[in-house]
């Protein structure tokens, strides 16, 4: 069901010329920011009311723990074209897969996790020096979206830009622990290489020329950001979510998840399946821009994070995004008479404003952007035009 308010928002955004990031009206949070880590460390027995999700959104903490199917594992050194067939199947069926033999040095990965654990262990005052605002979201944050009175997620995060160079501000990255900035850069460089490989694989696996999707993303002018998610222990995990259901707005997300503490759940039909991380693997998912470019052959699937009472959890989400001011629509090769273009072209700058002001809202953004309700062309005007 497409929400009228969301359609109007998307339409409005589609009409305005993209403004430089930060000059939109998202200047400050609607309420004082409270760090979830502080609430957790205060040892509350019950969580404040504005973290309690409505019944329908509350987590099923046992989902997928009964030996049910889980997201596929793809070996990037596979002799069959580096896993192209497995990727095609995974992107159609799940929108998610884990990659092994990905070539990123394990020592670097461990160092990246360690600097971020150390950052979140710093005293609150030191972290507050990096407090973020909704203008760019860069820095230390505790909410997504600026709706006053919203039900919040049980998690803090640190968000930063790696690309394009003009948006990169290492002085906004943590100066402590020592080596944090250098490690973030090294980790970002390696993840960028991995994403370039993955983009080629997505291109081939969807039946396109190897460079078709990389070029549609803007060639070398791509964007990349890192969000480090920190989910403190929660005394009532059955009432809250670490991160509400959403699909990722960008291109590809490469997630490094704690392999000792589960938390990520992926939507499969009307069920939520808990991902069992394979040690040493990355979890990859396609975002809304890949769904749009592939004309929905590949789906950006909803996912969410559940929390628990015993253990905190840390994850590093690396987002690989298209050049942000280039209009993107389905690639011509994947548009046919039987399968007309499902989405109008829109730039990523316009697109992500939605999430930045509304917070995670399931798949409502990509749905409100969709022209048709199903793949069968329908005889009514598209609900959204760019
Ligand atoms: C995200 C995300 C999942 C996790 O940051 O977009 O989905 O396990 N994270 O933290
Ligand atoms: Ni996500």
């Amino acid at each position: 069901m497409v929400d009228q308010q969301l359609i109007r928002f998307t339409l409005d955004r589609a009409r305005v010329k993209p403004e430089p990031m930060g000059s939109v009206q998202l200047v400050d949070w609607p309420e004082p920011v409270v760090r979830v880590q502080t609430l957790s460390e205060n040892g509350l027995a019950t969580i404040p009311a504005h973290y309690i999700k409505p019944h329908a959104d509350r987590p099923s903490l046992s989902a997928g723990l009964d030996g049910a199917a889980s997201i596929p594992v793809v070996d990037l050194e596979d002799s069959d074209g580096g896993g192209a067939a497995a990727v095609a199947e995974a992107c159609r069926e799940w929108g998610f897969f884990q990659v092994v033999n990905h070539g990123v040095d394990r020592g670097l990965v461990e160092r990246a996790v360690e600097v971020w654990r150390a950052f979140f262990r710093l005293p609150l005052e030191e972290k507050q020096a990096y407090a973020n605002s909704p203008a760019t979201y860069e820095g230390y944050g505790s909410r997504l979206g600026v709706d006053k009175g919203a039900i919040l997620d049980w998690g803090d995060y640190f968000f930063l830009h790696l690309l394009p160079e003009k948006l990169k501000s290492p002085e906004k990255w943590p100066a402590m622990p020592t080596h944090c900035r250098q490690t973030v850069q090294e980790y970002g460089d390696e993840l960028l290489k991995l994403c370039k490989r993955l983009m080629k694989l997505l291109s081939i696996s969807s039946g396109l020329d190897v460079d078709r999707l990389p070029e549609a993303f803007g060639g070398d002018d791509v964007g990349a950001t890192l969000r480090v998610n920190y989910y403190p222990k929660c005394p009532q995990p059955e009432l809250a979510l670490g991160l509400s259901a959403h699909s990722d707005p960008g291109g590809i997300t490469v997630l490094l998840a704690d392999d000792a503490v589960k938390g990520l759940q992926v939507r499969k039909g009307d069920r939520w399946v808990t991902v069992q991380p394979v040690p040493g693997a990355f979890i990859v998912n396609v975002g809304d821009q890949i769904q749009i470019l592939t004309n929905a052959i590949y789906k950006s699937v909803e996912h969410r994070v559940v929390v628990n009472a015993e253990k905190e959890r840390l994850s590093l989400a690396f987002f690989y995004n298209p050049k942000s001011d280039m209009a993107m629509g389905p690639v011509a090769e994947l548009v046919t008479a039987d399968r007309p273009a499902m989405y109008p072209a829109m730039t990523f700058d316009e697109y992500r404003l939605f999430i930045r002001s509304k917070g995670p809202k399931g798949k409502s953004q990509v749905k409100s952007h969709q022209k048709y309700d199903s793949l069968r062309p329908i005889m009514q005007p598209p609900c959204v035009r760019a």
Side-chain angles (χ1 to χ4, degrees):
M1 184 62 76
V2 178
D3 177 328
Q4 290 307 315
Q5 191 199 349
L6 304 181
I7 293 174
R8 197 159 322 112
F9 182 93
T10 311
L11 273 169
D12 290 347
R13 300 303 347 155
R15 280 197 199 105
V16 298
K17 244 178 92 52
E19 301 170 70
M21 291 310 294
S23 68
V24 289
Q25 65 278 42
L26 307 174
V27 282
D28 210 354
W29 304 116
E31 291 136 340
V33 172
V34 176
R35 303 303 172 184
V36 177
Q37 184 173 6
T38 308
L39 294 175
S40 176
E41 288 172 359
N42 281 348
L44 301 173
T46 55
I47 61 176
H50 57 280
Y51 291 95
I52 301 180
K53 299 291 177 193
H55 279 277
D57 296 346
R58 290 185 196 166
S60 39
L61 295 176
S62 61
L65 298 179
D66 51 0
S70 190
I71 61 172
V73 178
V74 173
D75 181 349
L76 290 189
E77 296 296 324
D78 194 321
S79 51
D80 156 40
V87 164
E89 165 95 5
C91 290
R92 285 169 192 268
E93 290 298 316
W94 290 88
F96 269 82
F97 51 96
Q98 307 199 47
V99 284
V100 294
N101 282 326
H102 46 65
V104 180
D105 180 67
R106 190 180 271 254
L108 173 61
V109 170
E110 284 167 5
R111 275 187 289 129
V113 169
E114 200 33 58
V115 290
W116 286 109
R117 282 198 195 288
F119 172 78
F120 284 101
R121 278 196 301 261
L122 291 175
L124 180 65
E125 314 79 75
E126 284 185 51
K127 292 185 292 243
Q128 290 293 36
Y130 303 96
N132 73 352
S133 91
T136 67
Y137 274 92
E138 287 169 283
Y140 179 42
S142 296
R143 69 183 288 161
L144 280 170
V146 291
D147 285 347
K148 196 170 162 64
I151 304 290
L152 300 179
D153 289 338
W154 192 262
D156 300 326
Y157 61 85
F158 200 101
F159 179 71
L160 56 88
H161 283 274
L162 287 151
L163 281 178
E165 284 293 332
K166 68 171 195 281
L167 291 184
K168 186 168 110 185
S169 319
E171 72 284 358
K172 295 184 189 164
W173 307 358
M176 285 297 282
T178 352
H179 306 308
C180 183
R181 290 179 183 168
Q182 188 193 330
T183 306
V184 166
Q185 186 62 57
E186 281 176 43
Y187 184 77
D189 289 345
E190 286 304 304
L191 275 268
L192 196 63
K193 284 189 216 155
L194 174 59
C195 284
K196 290 190 165 164
R197 267 176 89 185
L198 290 170
M199 280 297 285
K200 289 182 186 232
L201 205 49
L202 289 179
S203 225
I204 302 173
S205 67
S206 57
L208 298 166
D209 286 347
V210 60
D211 289 322
R212 188 67 174 96
L213 290 182
E215 274 162 20
F217 254 51
D220 284 333
D221 292 331
V222 291
T225 60
L226 179 70
R227 187 166 72 224
V228 181
N229 298 294
Y230 176 68
Y231 306 102
K233 290 182 217 174
C234 178
Q236 293 178 297
E238 67 286 359
L239 302 181
L241 285 172
L243 189 51
S244 293
H246 65 284
S247 62
D248 292 343
I252 310 178
T253 304
V254 178
L255 183 83
L256 175 66
D258 193 323
D259 56 40
V261 190
K262 290 186 282 286
L264 176 64
Q265 295 189 329
V266 174
R267 187 190 275 285
K268 182 76 174 149
D270 56 7
R271 290 192 313 136
W272 290 98
V273 176
T274 302
V275 174
Q276 321 278 339
V278 171
F282 286 111
I283 297 166
V284 178
N285 64 288
V286 298
D288 295 346
Q289 304 307 308
I290 294 288
Q291 176 167 334
I292 292 169
L293 280 178
T294 62
N295 206 18
I297 285 177
Y298 287 172
K299 300 279 185 341
S300 111
V301 167
E302 248 182 296
H303 51 286
R304 68 181 188 183
V305 174
V306 298
V307 286
N308 73 84
E310 285 83 39
K311 287 181 187 148
E312 59 184 32
R313 177 170 177 270
L314 184 87
S315 72
L316 274 57
F318 180 88
F319 300 106
Y320 185 82
N321 297 328
K323 183 171 176 338
S324 70
D325 58 358
M326 197 178 59
M328 314 238 309
V331 298
E333 298 91 315
L334 299 179
V335 175
T336 58
D338 293 346
R339 196 183 180 89
M342 303 258 295
Y343 310 97
M346 188 186 267
T347 72
F348 185 52
D349 275 339
E350 289 161 347
Y351 194 87
R352 75 176 152 192
L353 263 180
F354 177 92
I355 305 253
R356 290 190 169 189
S357 57
K358 292 281 168 199
K361 289 266 192 282
K363 293 268 301 177
S364 55
Q365 165 65 336
V366 78
K367 273 197 194 131
S368 67
H369 186 49
Q370 186 171 325
K371 286 185 185 185
Y372 302 107
D373 280 345
S374 76
L375 284 179
R376 236 168 309 177
I378 48 173
M379 302 314 289
Q380 64 189 49
C383 57
V384 176
R385 289 179 204 275

